[in-house]
Amino acid sequence: MITVGGFNTSMDELIELEELSLGKVHRTTGVQAYPGGKGLHVATSVAALGEPVALVGLIDRAYRTTFEDWLGARGVAFHGIEIEQPIRTCFAIREQSGRITEILEAGPEIDSRIEGELLATFRKLADASRVAVLSGSLPRGISEQTYAKLVESLGTRCIVDASGEPLRHAIAAGPFMVKPNRDEAEKWLSMPIDGLEAAAAAAQRMAYEGIALVVVSLGDQGALAFSHGVCLHASVDIDACINPVGSGDALVGGMTVGLARDWSFEATFRLGVACGAANALTGETGFFRREDVEKLFPLVKVRTFPFSR
Ligand SMILES: O=P(O)(O)OC[C@@]1(O)O[C@H](CO)[C@@H](O)[C@@H]1O
């Protein structure tokens, strides 16, 4: 089994507009709402590839049934820890041009009783899993060292996809894999990442902190992966990018499955990149069709990336 900690669950609203102009009144051309959050997308990606998966996260009374039904239908066992306050909403505004602007609520602040339940539930499931994933922002009220402490205390291979201080602490704790995007890697390095060479150097520096596998996702430039002295670049062309929100989560989901199946570094990375690209081919945030992944998998161009730093 694979366990995903996607603690800061959200309802994701995708709002469609002709054009966003700051300070103006807008009328929507469409609105869709889905259960969301980075970890939730990782879990549904894992399930879509046919692996058993559990998701641990916050839930409120109003949305419990919606999340349980929606996740159950997708093959995810949801362990929702109930809170009194509403879970957060995250907005993605898509303009006709395809440009996307995200506005993310911080979400509810939780107390030590809820924190205890959340972490104990995650630990118990993760300890019995082949791979554990910690993904997304932490709920307010929880220490920024939470991911680091979980990484240190679990006997399972851990993947961390986070940002800011939680990512910094987690890197120092030496998880098996991290997946920053360009912005997150720039913040960690305090340096701009202006191309593939700089992204490769960032991945190498993170790996030197004691991480077996570092993946830096680079949007339409694909992704770079560094493991045991080998750096790979992978990308794949797609016909149309409909909704890329959640592509990084799908990439993590694909790589989690590759690792759980003990696939090679190259095949695991190829599957991750195929899932990330397939996610952008559908309108639903954080969702891909398995047949798209199967079509894209052999088309992903993976090459050794030579770099000199
Ligand atoms: O605040 P977090 O947890 O870092 O990110 C939340 C979020 O941007 O991540 C997903 C897309 O990757 C969306 O479901 C959600 O809106």
Side-chain angles (χ1 to χ4, degrees), residues 18-33:
E18 260 164 41
E19 197 184 348
L20 179 67
S21 4
L22 296 181
K24 295 278 166 60
V25 172
H26 298 82
R27 296 201 186 265
T28 60
T29 52
V31 177
Q32 296 158 58

Side-chain angles (χ1 to χ4, degrees), residues 249-266:
D249 312 333
L251 187 156
V252 172
M255 294 202 64
T256 304
V257 168
L259 291 174
R261 291 178 181 165
D262 291 326
W263 284 11
S264 68
F265 173 33
E266 196 263 80

